[in-house]
Amino acid sequence: MRAESCTPIPCKHPNQANLRTADFCIAVFNTQIIDDLNIAAQALREGKVVAFPTETVYGLGADATNPEAVRRLFEAKGRPGDNPLIVHLGSKSQLLQAALDLPEDAYRLLDAFSPGPITVVVRKQPQICDSVTAGLDTVGIRIPSDPQAAELLRLVNRPIAAPSANLSGRPSCTTWQSVLEDMNGRIDYLFRGNISRIGIESSVVLCTGLEPILLRPGDITLEDIRRVLPKAKSWREVVESQPHSSPGLRHPHYRPVAIVQLISTTDELSTIPANEVATSAYAEYSPNQPQCDSVATSLPSNIDASQFLLYAKYHTIAEYASGFYEFLREADRKGATKIYLRRATADSSGQALLDRQLRAAGLDS
Ligand code: TXA
Ligand code: MG
């Protein structure tokens, strides 16, 4: 409930101070942490806001057919109303609860990659609230593969709108503890589930035109999509004709409090002043070194890994992606002033992570 006189929730995170006063004045819920999917399903059916795990990142769920539930969800997240939400379903048999019809391209993508980390944007069913789709006549639909998410959605048997379960603008959450950090007191229930395996949000594909367009890269790459739909394009290829093809691209995303800097070679670290290393976090990516390598073998000679406030080394893009958001959040928890990230490769496999890195650094992807 929005009220002039409501008491603001204590500011736990510096980014919360960025929320407008009206966003900040929300009803203070008593967030309950639960382990029972039946309670979570019942709460969603009653119009409550419930955070739950998926294989990509945690989602913040509400009944997509209930305008009041959706309003509370936007409010809890501090989400701009012009950025539409993805609708989650438990199985393909539910597709027409959210989609008006299913174009051939969407059908083929879902057939190849669903349940899984893919979202298809198609024409919307009238029962999906206009606020879910930010007034668009299209809707993003996803069927998660995470067993707990799948079971929850099957139990609810309703279309569930679910953005990532972070405060708007912050890094996404891959653990229930991170969700609690952002959402405690802002939502009704938090399902204490698995760590998100993939760690990067789903690939979003617009399927309403003559050619499918990848609006947001994810674990399923443009190459993967082209194996099924050879005519698929990235939004960059069509950006001139459709400057705002994905509404979400207009807003800041995935930003930790610390300043993020991407580096292409470890030599770039040698110029960091010695006193700054101790307040910095560094995520290294060493694809060519075997996993059993001791840490920091490729750091410049004047820096040792143990000097960093936080240090992590990843050997594959999948490993880097799955640890990425938690690394950013942990750097903030430790009070890091700067986060250095080894740039993900710009090839097909690194594209989604690079997109998130660039946005975390405040650069356009
Ligand atoms: O993996 C995921 O997709 C996660 C989990 C929870 O499923 N969800 C997620 O939701 O990342 P969110 O709200 O953080 O991102 C949704 C993205 C935004 O970029 C939004 O603009 C885009 O999907 N989107 C949603 N509906 C759309 C539509 N009708 N047309 C174009 N883009 C749409
Ligand atoms: Mg998000």
Side-chain angles (χ1 to χ4, degrees):
M1 216 187 327
R2 219 175 263 256
E4 293 285 321
S5 59
C6 69
T7 314
I9 298 166
C11 186
K12 290 191 68 189
H13 191 282
N15 263 23
Q16 285 189 332
N18 296 335
L19 296 176
R20 295 187 311 272
T21 313
D23 293 331
F24 210 55
C25 275
I26 63 169
V28 180
F29 304 114
N30 178 18
T31 302
Q32 291 186 50
I33 301 170
I34 51 171
D35 298 305
D36 186 337
L37 287 172
N38 289 295
I39 295 176
Q42 183 59 29
L44 284 167
R45 293 176 69 83
E46 287 169 2
K48 303 270 187 344
V49 179
V50 180
F52 62 96
T54 85
E55 72 280 17
T56 56
V57 297
Y58 268 68
L60 205 58
D63 182 345
T65 66
N66 178 337
E68 176 57 16
V70 174
R71 188 191 67 74
R72 282 165 32 114
L73 175 112
F74 270 92
E75 202 166 52
K77 190 175 155 89
R79 168 98 157 195
D82 64 350
N83 191 6
L85 309 177
I86 292 171
V87 171
H88 295 64
L89 302 171
S91 71
K92 288 176 190 155
S93 64
Q94 280 179 266
L95 280 167
L96 294 181
Q97 290 180 3
L100 191 61
D101 49 28
L102 215 56
E104 173 77 16
D105 288 347
Y107 178 84
R108 292 180 60 192
L109 284 180
L110 291 173
D111 202 39
F113 304 116
S114 240
I118 191 131
T119 296
V120 293
V121 177
V122 297
R123 291 202 302 157
K124 149 182 142 38
Q125 247 282 344
Q127 73 157 344
I128 301 296
C129 298
D130 289 338
S131 52
V132 167
T133 60
L136 298 171
D137 59 1
T138 56
V139 61
I141 298 176
R142 174 162 122 74
I143 304 172
S145 63
D146 175 90
Q148 291 174 323
E151 178 61 11
L152 172 64
L153 292 162
R154 272 194 291 271
L155 286 169
V156 185
N157 193 24
R158 282 194 195 162
I160 298 299
S164 51
N166 51 283
L167 277 175
S168 202
R170 290 270 296 148
S172 302
C173 298
T174 53
T175 66
W176 67 265
Q177 293 92 336
S178 289
V179 177
L180 191 64
E181 203 169 61
D182 277 19
M183 291 297 158
N184 195 12
R186 303 179 77 91
I187 59 173
D188 301 294
Y189 291 97
L190 162 57
F191 183 82
R192 179 168 28 192
N194 302 324
I195 293 177
S196 299
R197 179 178 57 80
I198 293 171
I200 295 279
E201 302 79 359
S202 63
S203 312
V204 178
V205 187
L206 183 66
C207 295
T208 52
L210 290 176
E211 292 159 336
I213 301 167
L214 178 61
L215 300 179
R216 180 178 70 180
D219 192 55
I220 292 165
T221 65
L222 185 59
E223 239 170 53
D224 297 330
I225 292 166
R226 280 187 179 146
R227 269 194 284 277
V228 180
L229 303 174
K231 285 205 288 191
K233 293 207 157 88
S234 76
W235 74 272
R236 284 214 164 281
E237 294 171 82
V238 290
V239 80
E240 260 137 50
S241 53
Q242 298 184 6
H244 291 303
S245 42
S246 182
L249 299 174
R250 287 194 289 261
H251 299 287
H253 272 85
Y254 322 124
R255 299 255 186 99
V257 174
I259 294 163
V260 174
Q261 187 175 326
L262 306 193
I263 60 162
S264 300
T265 67
T266 40
D267 285 348
E268 291 170 51
L269 293 172
S270 59
T271 55
I272 309 175
N275 62 340
E276 213 191 83
V277 177
T279 60
S280 296
Y282 176 44
E284 185 166 6
Y285 171 50
S286 302
N288 300 323
Q289 293 178 11
Q291 301 233 359
C292 57
D293 248 14
S294 65
V295 291
T297 46
S298 59
L299 283 170
S301 56
N302 63 329
I303 300 181
D304 186 87
S306 63
Q307 290 173 262
F308 285 105
L309 186 62
L310 179 67
Y311 173 83
K313 186 174 192 173
Y314 303 103
H315 296 275
T316 63
I317 285 287
E319 200 183 283
Y320 197 175
S322 93
F324 179 66
Y325 288 129
E326 201 48 37
F327 183 85
L328 299 183
R329 284 181 166 270
E330 185 59 15
D332 274 355
R333 282 179 204 121
K334 286 181 175 288
T337 52
K338 202 134 186 207
I339 300 173
Y340 294 94
L341 299 174
R342 188 64 181 260
R343 227 182 145 90
T345 43
D347 59 7
S348 187
S349 68
Q351 203 196 5
L353 179 57
L354 181 59
D355 167 76
R356 304 321 188 264
Q357 290 182 325
L358 288 165
R359 290 178 194 283
L363 305 166
D364 241 5
S365 175

